[in-house]
Amino acid sequence: MLFERASYSWAYSEDIPGTRCGPEDGPWPRSYQVLAEPDLWRELRVLAKPQTTVFDSHNGWGADSINFQPSPTTKTQDRYIVTQLDILGRMWTLTGVFDGTSRTRSAGFILIVDQYMAGHLGDVTVEHVAYHLPIIIRDFLRKALANDPSAFSSPELVADLFSRSILAFDDAIANDVLELFGGIQGLNSFSDAEIRNIINDQHAGGANWKKARLCMYGTTALVALVDPEHENLWIANLGDCQATMVSLNEAGDDWSVECLTTEHNGDNDAEVERVQRAHPDEPECVIDRRVLGALAPFRCLGDIPFKQPPVFTRRILYNLFPGFHNTSPWEEFLVRNHTPPYITAQPEVTHRRLDGPAQGPRFLILSSDGFADLCSGEGQQRIVASWAQGMLDQPFQIHERGGGVSKERPDNMALRLLRRALGGDDRYSVSRVLTLDMEVAWIDDTAIVVQTL
């Protein structure tokens, strides 16, 4: 939805932030429409759909969030969560971002899946994770505390519960399907026709079909948990999303921008070596820094073909409606699948204390890899520090309500951060990203949650 625009101009590939498009995506230059400042903000809000959640108005604790993809032909595969978990009457906060992995697979694999499954799968797995993972984490923590009142007595115990809840969630994705056949070995007792009849049950509500289709794709995951006392923060990470802590330094004259996560992909030598150690006699377990030559993330939820033997894909997913006319892109990596799993859902959990003295506002930024890509030119640390200073210059608004005092920020923090990454005060740069005339996506999906700590 576009509003009145002042003029048209022209952009080259190097004018677009990030690495999604290049000279090969021509012809260049391409036209874009230069937006006046009020229209620019309106368009940005329409596209990013900013949301604000208040956890504790007295202390100014809350979270702002956006999910951004300006291309009208591309549906974002990023998701975010901002919620509170009632753990036996006490409220914990849970925030997170998720990045669907279907676009992180090799080009040939993406083409064949998109061609035959478009309109049937897409972002179904990341949607499932964003909705159900908070419920599983909540129930896991509730059960642990009900069974043992000392279950939360140390940060290490909570970190272990957090990790195990995520692993249990991921295990259920494949196990819910395999239970239909008595396990992976049980598939030998069924013909292809029988398998198709079991999993393609749309005529009966589609419960089995919905379970099976979750196995097709996957998602990275980054979730943050804060206790009711606001004394502890746990970060659980799978994949290449980023958690960043932003706070004033001890002198109060500069910003500390600390990345709390490591990327679990082929750019991380430790991840490559971990997979290679687990499969020492398989030189093709990692090819061109991709798992089995096909998948970019080395840790994620779902993506079951990389976690189960090839028979799972060949007997179940190949028979899933509407089927595949050409399975060769799948076979390119399935023939390398000898001793699964090759990827893991074991999160890397980081703990930080929050009850120490703070010189000023403290922010936690959770972002999908699209944000890092947008910052690749100017540099993420510089962009974040500049944004944080802008937040400091835009103080809380104090309101007296119901006999109490609440603190609120006048604008959405995540939307402000997105605008800073797109070009900040340079409305030509921002307009280029918002209105470029291009048939396919020119930047990566970008989800951002900014939480005040």
Side-chain angles (χ1 to χ4, degrees):
M1 179 177 180
L2 295 177
F3 301 85
E4 291 185 18
R5 286 142 173 175
S7 62
Y8 291 85
S9 191
W10 299 93
Y12 292 85
S13 60
E14 59 266 27
D15 298 324
I16 308 302
T19 59
R20 183 67 181 262
C21 69
E24 66 278 6
D25 298 304
W28 298 98
R30 291 180 177 271
S31 66
Y32 72 94
Q33 294 170 312
V34 182
L35 301 180
E37 190 66 25
D39 293 341
L40 188 151
W41 273 115
R42 283 195 292 267
E43 183 71 2
L44 193 59
R45 289 189 177 95
V46 166
L47 293 171
K49 300 176 176 64
Q51 298 291 320
T52 294
T53 304
V54 177
F55 297 138
D56 184 329
S57 60
H58 176 72
N59 289 297
W61 294 335
D64 289 347
S65 46
I66 61 95
N67 194 358
F68 179 67
Q69 173 50 257
S71 171
T73 64
T74 303
K75 185 179 180 180
T76 177
Q77 293 187 7
D78 285 3
R79 296 292 184 275
Y80 64 80
I81 54 170
V82 177
T83 190
Q84 291 184 290
L85 308 179
D86 184 344
I87 310 299
L88 303 186
R90 306 186 70 219
M91 302 306 291
W92 297 58
T93 64
L94 185 74
T95 52
V97 294
F98 309 95
D99 185 353
T101 62
S102 70
R103 293 193 193 125
T104 62
R105 296 177 175 184
S106 58
F109 187 82
I110 295 172
L111 176 63
I112 212 69
V113 171
D114 285 350
Q115 182 177 355
Y116 294 107
M117 304 302 282
H120 299 276
L121 293 178
D123 54 3
V124 65
T125 304
V126 68
E127 191 75 33
H128 171 82
V129 170
Y131 180 82
H132 289 281
L133 183 60
I135 299 172
I136 297 302
I137 293 173
R138 181 201 65 192
D139 292 349
F140 215 90
L141 295 177
R142 280 179 178 176
K143 183 178 180 180
L145 187 60
N147 292 338
D148 180 6
S150 66
F152 298 169
S153 60
S154 74
E156 292 77 17
L157 290 175
V158 175
D160 180 62
L161 288 169
F162 198 16
S163 177
R164 287 193 287 124
S165 67
I166 294 171
L167 280 167
F169 175 85
D170 185 71
D171 287 342
I173 294 176
N175 290 341
D176 284 352
V177 177
L178 289 173
E179 285 176 357
L180 301 173
F181 307 100
I184 195 77
Q185 299 300 325
L187 288 170
N188 295 327
S189 302
F190 295 82
S191 68
D192 281 351
E194 289 171 327
I195 291 174
R196 284 193 293 270
N197 187 56
I198 291 171
I199 62 175
N200 297 312
D201 63 339
Q202 296 90 326
H203 61 284
N208 296 340
W209 181 74
K210 291 175 183 177
K211 292 176 183 177
R213 66 180 185 163
L214 290 176
C215 300
M216 293 282 301
Y217 286 135
T219 178
T220 64
L222 173 65
V223 283
L225 183 68
V226 178
D227 61 8
E229 296 80 14
H230 215 80
E231 295 176 349
N232 296 279
L233 164 70
W234 293 268
I235 301 286
N237 181 42
L238 290 161
D240 53 10
C241 296
Q242 287 187 355
T244 306
M245 183 77 81
V246 186
S247 58
L248 279 171
N249 62 10
E250 292 185 4
D253 58 1
D254 199 5
W255 289 94
S256 169
V257 180
E258 179 188 8
C259 184
L260 303 180
T261 51
T262 57
E263 295 185 347
H264 303 137
N265 57 28
D267 293 332
N268 185 339
D269 289 341
E271 285 294 290
V272 173
E273 292 166 4
R274 178 180 60 80
V275 173
Q276 291 173 333
R277 284 195 304 271
H279 306 277
D281 299 320
E282 301 177 47
E284 292 186 322
C285 65
V286 179
I287 300 176
D288 295 331
R289 294 189 173 268
R290 288 178 174 264
V291 180
L292 300 181
L295 189 67
F298 281 56
R299 304 190 195 198
C300 58
L301 299 172
D303 276 320
I304 304 305
F306 298 86
K307 295 175 178 174
Q308 290 288 334
V311 66
F312 184 100
T313 301
R314 290 168 176 155
R315 299 298 313 282
I316 297 176
L317 300 186
Y318 282 5
N319 282 310
L320 188 67
F321 178 84
F324 298 91
H325 298 167
N326 178 10
T327 60
S328 58
W330 295 75
E331 290 300 323
E332 285 182 12
F333 74 86
L334 287 178
V335 296
R336 304 175 183 131
N337 181 340
H338 304 296
T339 57
Y342 292 87
I343 58 175
T344 180
Q346 176 70 57
E348 188 172 17
V349 180
T350 302
H351 171 255
R352 284 287 189 277
R353 296 286 297 182
L354 298 177
D355 54 348
Q359 298 295 323
R362 184 168 50 189
F363 306 100
L364 175 68
I365 300 171
L366 307 179
S367 58
S368 64
D369 64 340
F371 176 67
D373 197 42
L374 288 175
C375 298
S376 58
E378 185 176 352
Q380 187 167 341
Q381 182 148 344
R382 179 176 176 179
I383 287 174
V384 169
S386 171
W387 162 84
Q389 186 60 45
M391 289 295 98
L392 186 63
D393 296 338
Q394 184 189 48
F396 284 109
Q397 294 178 345
I398 307 300
H399 301 277
E400 293 185 9
R401 292 173 179 165
V405 176
S406 65
K407 298 194 295 186
E408 300 176 4
R409 292 194 178 276
D411 207 348
N412 188 285
M413 299 177 291
L415 191 68
R416 286 278 179 182
L417 180 57
L418 175 65
R419 167 140 188 189
R420 179 62 184 84
L422 296 181
D425 293 333
D426 183 350
R427 66 184 180 94
Y428 287 86
S429 293
V430 180
S431 295
R432 277 194 291 267
V433 177
L434 297 183
T435 68
L436 188 69
D437 183 12
M438 192 167 177
E439 296 76 18
V440 297
W442 50 92
I443 66 165
D444 197 5
D445 305 336
T446 302
I448 303 172
V449 175
V450 179
Q451 184 173 354
T452 49
L453 299 174

